[in-house]
Amino acid sequence: MTDPLTAALDATYIAFWRERHLCTLTTLRPDGTPHVVPVGVTFDPATRVARVITSRDSRKARNIRAAGESGSRAAVCQIDGKRWATLEGTAYVRDDPGSVADAERRYAERYRPPRPNPERVVIEIHVERALGRA
């Protein structure tokens, strides 16, 4: 049986995630309501991890941390005309220097070098579902 996520991650879909597009990140507030913000996202289909860099005290990072060590549900989405793609999964906040540096490098490849931020963390979404039409 074919893994549905692998089937969704065809070459066109992956290429779409390499193009430069503004995205949205949806996290859940502690009361369960959605919090949606514009972000830059990188996606590594080999590891099935999407990454968003942010400040440690941002609402999005606080929402994920509030869920505890088991992580929190999150989704990232991008759109370009009729093309769209959403990645859903469990999100975690990473603050170790190696994870942050890796996420910054990936961000610089897709967008531009990020501004210096000593308070930077990375939100890692372990992708379990891919939707869209690329």
Side-chain angles (χ1 to χ4, degrees), residues 72-131:
S72 177
R73 300 300 294 171
V76 288
C77 182
Q78 66 181 17
I79 187 166
D80 180 39
K82 292 183 179 182
R83 298 183 309 153
W84 63 277
T86 298
L87 302 170
E88 299 176 3
T90 304
Y92 306 89
V93 176
R94 307 286 188 222
D95 60 4
D96 63 281
S99 294
V100 172
D102 179 53
E104 290 173 332
R105 178 188 59 76
R106 292 170 187 273
Y107 182 93
E109 288 174 4
R110 186 173 189 202
Y111 298 100
R112 66 183 191 297
R115 64 176 172 72
N117 180 356
E119 297 299 311
R120 181 165 288 134
V121 296
V122 57
I123 295 171
E124 289 185 355
I125 302 170
H126 295 246
V127 177
E128 299 155 17
R129 180 180 295 154
L131 307 163

Side-chain angles (χ1 to χ4, degrees), residues 7-41:
L9 298 177
D10 66 20
T12 303
Y13 192 88
I14 292 168
F16 186 43
W17 277 103
R18 290 191 175 115
E19 296 173 13
R20 189 178 193 279
H21 293 288
L22 185 61
C23 304
T24 60
L25 167 68
T26 303
T27 59
L28 300 175
R29 294 182 184 98
D31 68 3
T33 59
H35 177 254
V36 183
V37 293
V39 294
V41 176

